[in-house]
Amino acid sequence: MKAVGELMKVFITRRIPQEGMKILTAAGVCEVSQWDSDEPVPRTELLRGVQGAQGLLCLLTDKIDAEVLDAAGPNLKVISTMSVGFDHLAVDEIKKRGIRVGYTPDVLTDATAELTMALLLATARRIPEGVEEVKNGGWSSWKPLWLCGPGLSGSTVGIIGLGRIGMAIAQRLMPFGVKRLLYSGRTAKAHAAEVNGEFVPMETLVSESDFIVVTCSLTPETQGLCNKAFFSKMKKTAVFINSSRGAVVNQEDLYEALSSGQIAAAGLDVTTPEPLPTSHPLLTLKNCVVLPHIGSAENSTRGVMSALAARNLLGGLQGSDMPSELSF
Ligand SMILES: O=C(O)[C@H](O)CO
């Protein structure tokens, strides 16, 4: 048994699924302190909690910047985020200080692809609107022209960012009889052949797609990518879906496009900010379906993410391999 003094100090910024906590406890190498709540850690508590830590296990809601790294001090060896996205981490600053980073790719791919499909179908076929009409007495009869929306069969779908999640969505789209699958991104991908994906310039994807699905990561290049110019090139009948990060979209421009009939509908699992204030104009629109960032909220997925984040943390603390280390 090691004396407490020899244990490595770790700060965890939230209550996380048991799977990860059990792994950390069983390893017996760290002294864990935690923001033991379902709500995000206040900034002051984060700055306090991280002091002297050798390991930090954080979530996508925690902005890990130079101030946090300074507060942690020189002992910080590893940051393990329980997320596949890492736009909340000041990667350059982290790299400069030689701190290793773990993240959780792959394990949430299926869950996020499933949710994106659900959001796409719900938005296109106006499911939330239909549910609301049933509840509020708006359902007067079966009506030939009521609550119609576009279907996937025979359609063209454009995926922005054919990475792990984009590819899993493409695979799920195939049995729906999609006619063309377009994708854009930095480079053509060999794996696109599996889904008959056509690598096209962004302009072509935007103007030819009946459905646009955004799954790229948030980077300086993709920030605000879906803006007025983007929406103005879309078909008036097209549906826009975003399950990546809210900041890829200019929400004022999206509101304008939706309310003016420039595009048919939008489904968003991510927004800026999160949560989206209940007074936000997008929430007044029937043709906009907004979900509270639940892409990976599938029963077993969060436990698996938590376990992977714990293993990444241990790898970084012990100077050994991390199952999913971010290479930068
Ligand atoms: O980055 C992530 O992990 C997703 O957005 C949430 O699971």
Side-chain angles (χ1 to χ4, degrees):
M1 249 323 243
K2 283 184 177 171
V4 171
E6 296 171 35
L7 298 178
M8 289 180 273
K9 191 180 169 211
V10 161
F11 183 60
I12 305 181
T13 62
R14 194 83 68 92
R15 197 176 292 155
I16 59 167
Q18 277 307 304
E19 286 86 338
M21 296 309 290
K22 281 185 189 154
I23 289 169
L24 293 180
T25 309
V29 295
C30 44
E31 179 199 346
V32 173
S33 63
Q34 182 175 27
W35 180 249
D36 190 13
S37 164
D38 282 337
E39 298 302 324
V41 60
R43 185 78 180 171
T44 47
E45 294 299 328
L46 171 61
L47 294 173
R48 194 196 332 265
V50 80
Q51 274 171 31
Q54 280 146 293
L56 172 64
L57 196 157
C58 66
L59 305 187
L60 56 85
T61 44
D62 309 314
K63 191 170 157 48
I64 308 300
D65 54 12
E67 188 186 23
V68 174
L69 302 177
D70 287 344
N75 292 337
L76 189 63
K77 290 182 181 173
V78 55
I79 298 170
S80 170
T81 182
M82 195 184 119
S83 62
V84 63
F86 50 86
D87 47 279
H88 54 299
L89 308 179
V91 170
D92 290 344
E93 196 62 40
I94 292 169
K95 186 177 174 186
K96 211 163 71 188
R97 299 176 192 222
I99 298 165
R100 294 169 75 190
V101 174
Y103 69 137
T104 61
D106 301 312
V107 296
L108 48 75
T109 298
D110 287 341
T112 307
E114 280 177 15
L115 188 281
T116 307
M117 287 301 298
L119 178 59
L120 184 153
L121 290 167
T123 306
R125 297 298 301 276
R126 304 170 64 176
I127 290 174
E129 229 183 306
V131 169
E132 194 48 41
E133 295 288 14
V134 172
K135 288 186 183 164
N136 67 21
W139 180 21
S140 59
S141 156
W142 187 91
K143 292 187 264 186
L145 302 178
W146 193 47
L147 285 178
C148 296
L152 278 168
S153 179
S155 71
T156 296
V157 180
I159 299 187
I160 299 180
L162 197 70
R164 284 175 291 258
I165 295 171
M167 191 60 191
I169 294 167
Q171 282 158 346
R172 283 158 177 78
L173 283 165
M174 289 182 78
F176 282 87
V178 165
K179 193 163 150 208
R180 289 178 74 201
L181 193 120
L182 313 179
Y183 73 101
S184 290
R186 275 194 298 263
T187 52
K189 310 268 185 181
H191 60 230
E194 288 168 39
V195 290
N196 300 324
E198 299 171 43
F199 185 56
V200 294
M202 186 68 77
E203 286 228 348
T204 309
L205 181 146
V206 175
S207 61
E208 295 187 8
S209 296
D210 300 303
F211 297 88
I212 294 179
V213 184
V214 182
T215 60
C216 58
S217 30
L218 175 62
T219 64
E221 292 77 46
T222 61
Q223 175 136 19
L225 171 76
C226 307
N227 57 12
K228 193 176 169 65
F230 179 102
F231 295 122
S232 69
K233 288 183 202 110
M234 281 174 68
K235 294 182 184 178
K236 281 195 159 37
T237 50
V239 174
F240 175 82
I241 303 295
N242 184 15
S243 55
S244 68
R245 286 290 184 266
V248 174
V249 176
N250 179 316
Q251 289 177 174
E252 285 71 40
D253 294 348
L254 175 62
Y255 174 80
E256 198 49 42
L258 287 167
S259 56
S260 66
Q262 179 65 55
I263 68 171
L268 312 173
D269 184 40
V270 285
T271 59
T272 313
E274 292 182 3
L276 195 64
T278 52
S279 60
H280 196 281
L282 280 174
L283 299 179
T284 64
L285 300 175
K286 283 190 175 176
N287 59 347
C288 187
V289 177
V290 182
L291 299 178
H293 202 151
I294 52 171
S296 64
E298 182 273 337
N299 279 342
S300 62
T301 302
R302 292 281 167 80
V304 180
M305 288 169 72
S306 156
L308 179 53
R311 289 200 187 93
N312 282 336
L313 188 81
L314 288 173
L317 286 173
Q318 294 171 317
S320 55
D321 280 352
M322 291 161 75
S324 290
E325 179 166 6
L326 190 67
S327 48
F328 53 167

